[in-house]
Amino acid sequence: MSIKSVWESKHQLYNLYLGKVGVDDLIEATLHFSGSAKADDLHTIICDWTLADIADMTVADLDRLVAHVGAWAKTSPDVKQAVVMPGDESRQGLASMYGFLSDNLPWQVEVFASLEEARAWLDA
């Protein structure tokens, strides 16, 4: 898995996922960013999956990921996360399941089919 991360501003992180991405890769990235000094100022995250091949993930895998994101959310509760997941129904379903499992987090999580829609929501 490759992840290209760009701090677009002091408050916004853009993550572009490339290649085959699995849940362990996502948990590792979550731990990396949550431990960053910049995480304290974070308000918005864009997770762009337009160029990624998603490894098989189960609901249990997504539960593990949401648990790690939830730990991060305790120290940075006022974050809006836009997940950009274009493509077929299975990709959309996976992203929607992540959004559903994230409902108990203080973060606002929404799933979009395009980067433009995600940015419009974050800017609103």
Side-chain angles (χ1 to χ4, degrees):
M1 189 251 336
S2 176
I3 180 171
K4 290 189 178 186
S5 299
V6 176
W7 287 92
E8 295 184 331
S9 73
K10 181 179 178 181
H11 304 291
Q12 182 162 299
L13 177 64
Y14 172 80
N15 291 322
L16 176 63
Y17 302 99
L18 304 163
K20 194 123 183 135
V21 180
V23 71
D24 291 332
D25 302 315
L26 297 173
I27 289 170
E28 182 179 327
T30 299
L31 292 171
H32 170 76
F33 289 113
S34 65
S36 166
K38 290 182 174 184
D40 294 341
D41 294 323
L42 187 63
H43 296 290
T44 57
I45 302 172
I46 299 172
C47 298
D48 186 350
W49 291 81
T50 55
L51 301 177
D53 296 322
I54 301 170
D56 291 332
M57 287 188 224
T58 66
V59 173
D61 290 334
L62 293 175
D63 271 334
R64 283 190 323 138
L65 175 60
V66 170
H68 283 84
V69 171
W72 182 4
K74 288 180 182 179
T75 59
S76 299
D78 299 321
V79 171
K80 290 173 75 172
Q81 182 182 37
V83 178
V84 180
M85 184 69 77
D88 61 33
E89 289 180 19
S90 64
R91 288 172 55 101
Q92 285 288 321
L94 186 65
S96 294
M97 179 59 70
Y98 171 78
F100 174 76
L101 293 171
S102 299
D103 276 347
N104 293 326
L105 301 180
W107 286 10
Q108 296 177 54
V109 178
E110 293 292 332
V111 178
F112 301 93
S114 74
L115 186 56
E116 294 77 21
E117 292 173 322
R119 289 188 185 280
W121 176 72
L122 291 173
D123 292 339

